[in-house]
Amino acid sequence: MSQEQPKRPQAEKHPIEYGDVFDVSGDLASQPIAPKDAALMQTKENQILGKNLKGGPASVMQSAAAVNVLHGDVGHGELSAVAREQGVSVSEGKLDGQRVITESVGRHVVGQFFEPEIPMKTPATALERDAITIGEALEATAVAGAGDKPVDESDAAAIQVAEMRATGKNETESGGLGARAQSAATHNTRTLPLSEKTTLSDVLTDAREKLQADKAVTREDAEGVIGAELRNKLDMKTTPGGVAASMAAAATINQKREIRDDT
């Protein structure tokens, strides 16, 4: 007589909460991400940026909320308690002369990044001959305040996108700058002493020579790099003086130069 096999207990599923995808604590961390939270953040982000940033907080919230609705964890019109009581906001400010965007749910910051100060309808081409190139922006990172920062996954992702924007290809070059950055990030996770970690300066010094092609930095280039860096950081904050910040600064400077020369 055959005996019925005992059923293996299944892991209990729970909704995607803010603490699962953002570096937050307190009352927000344990709350499920709701559809209206995401919709509000998308609206606020669009009001400030003129669009929704790919890989940004609003995008992450939208994806998480969709999964929660699909699993029946939240309703289509649901709004979290923190968002209802404290609101959702996207604000802009200045840091070291650069435009900084901060996105918050209540008092909790869920994302912060540098944004190029360029009008949305500005053409991506026709930059002047002495415009800052992607290679130069990466080299600026090497000598800036973040040059001594050990390379992590967010840096590697940003550098890989920067390389692809420079070369016009949809993949990183074998043995190229992006591959070196990824190798450095992997190495650093296995190396404990800080003195033995590979830094941004180690990878990005002489970046122009390491790139197979180069081009002037545009708003689109900067936004692609910003999104890559944000997607790979739990706190969704770009590094001051890092790859994304340098690209944003370069795009802003290039546009200001072009406007100056046109007047």
Side-chain angles (χ1 to χ4, degrees):
M1 183 176 177
S2 62
Q3 293 183 338
E4 185 179 349
Q5 294 294 321
K7 293 183 179 179
R8 183 177 299 175
Q10 295 182 344
E12 183 180 351
K13 293 182 179 181
H14 70 280
I16 301 175
E17 300 170 345
Y18 276 96
D20 294 327
V21 293
F22 296 114
D23 187 19
V24 296
S25 57
D27 53 349
L28 183 64
S30 60
Q31 294 203 8
I33 300 178
K36 279 199 171 181
D37 296 30
L40 284 172
M41 186 63 81
Q42 286 180 317
T43 299
K44 297 288 187 179
E45 196 173 86
N46 192 60
Q47 288 173 346
I48 296 296
L49 302 177
K51 61 185 291 186
N52 292 127
L53 181 66
K54 183 179 179 181
S59 175
V60 172
M61 289 170 65
Q62 179 62 40
S63 297
V67 172
N68 285 342
V69 170
L70 181 65
H71 292 167
D73 297 313
V74 296
H76 284 282
E78 192 164 332
L79 182 68
S80 71
V82 171
R84 182 174 60 253
E85 295 167 7
Q86 301 177 27
V88 171
S89 65
V90 177
S91 61
E92 58 181 315
K94 291 281 188 178
L95 180 63
D96 296 330
Q98 287 187 261
R99 184 188 188 204
V100 181
I101 305 299
T102 301
E103 306 194 19
S104 306
V105 177
R107 58 184 176 81
H108 305 270
V109 174
V110 296
Q112 189 173 65
F113 53 93
F114 293 92
E115 174 72 4
E117 294 187 78
I118 305 174
M120 284 299 301
K121 295 182 180 179
T122 298
T125 58
L127 291 172
E128 64 178 68
R129 287 179 298 175
D130 63 345
I132 299 171
T133 67
I134 290 175
E136 289 172 328
L138 294 176
E139 288 182 0
T141 305
V143 298
D148 293 333
K149 177 184 179 295
V151 179
D152 61 20
E153 288 294 335
S154 68
D155 301 316
I159 293 168
Q160 287 170 344
V161 170
E163 181 187 42
M164 289 188 286
R165 299 291 304 194
T167 62
K169 298 181 179 179
N170 291 324
E171 59 183 14
T172 56
E173 300 288 339
S174 176
L177 201 59
R180 295 185 190 190
Q182 184 58 61
S183 177
T186 302
H187 165 78
N188 287 344
T189 61
R190 301 170 182 169
T191 306
L192 293 179
L194 186 62
S195 60
E196 295 182 21
K197 291 183 182 291
T198 304
T199 66
L200 283 171
S201 181
D202 294 330
V203 174
L204 297 178
T205 297
D206 299 323
R208 283 175 289 177
E209 296 178 9
K210 298 171 183 175
L211 288 171
Q212 290 195 1
D214 205 357
K215 66 182 287 291
V217 181
T218 65
R219 180 191 180 100
E220 290 80 3
D221 298 328
E223 288 185 340
V225 172
I226 291 167
E229 190 169 314
L230 286 176
R231 285 193 298 274
N232 288 274
K233 291 192 73 174
L234 183 60
D235 63 2
M236 297 205 82
K237 296 180 182 178
T238 54
T239 301
V243 179
S246 294
M247 288 285 289
T252 299
I253 292 169
N254 284 348
Q255 179 58 25
K256 286 182 177 179
R257 284 178 176 175
E258 186 178 10
I259 293 173
R260 179 198 64 199
D261 289 353
D262 287 342
T263 58

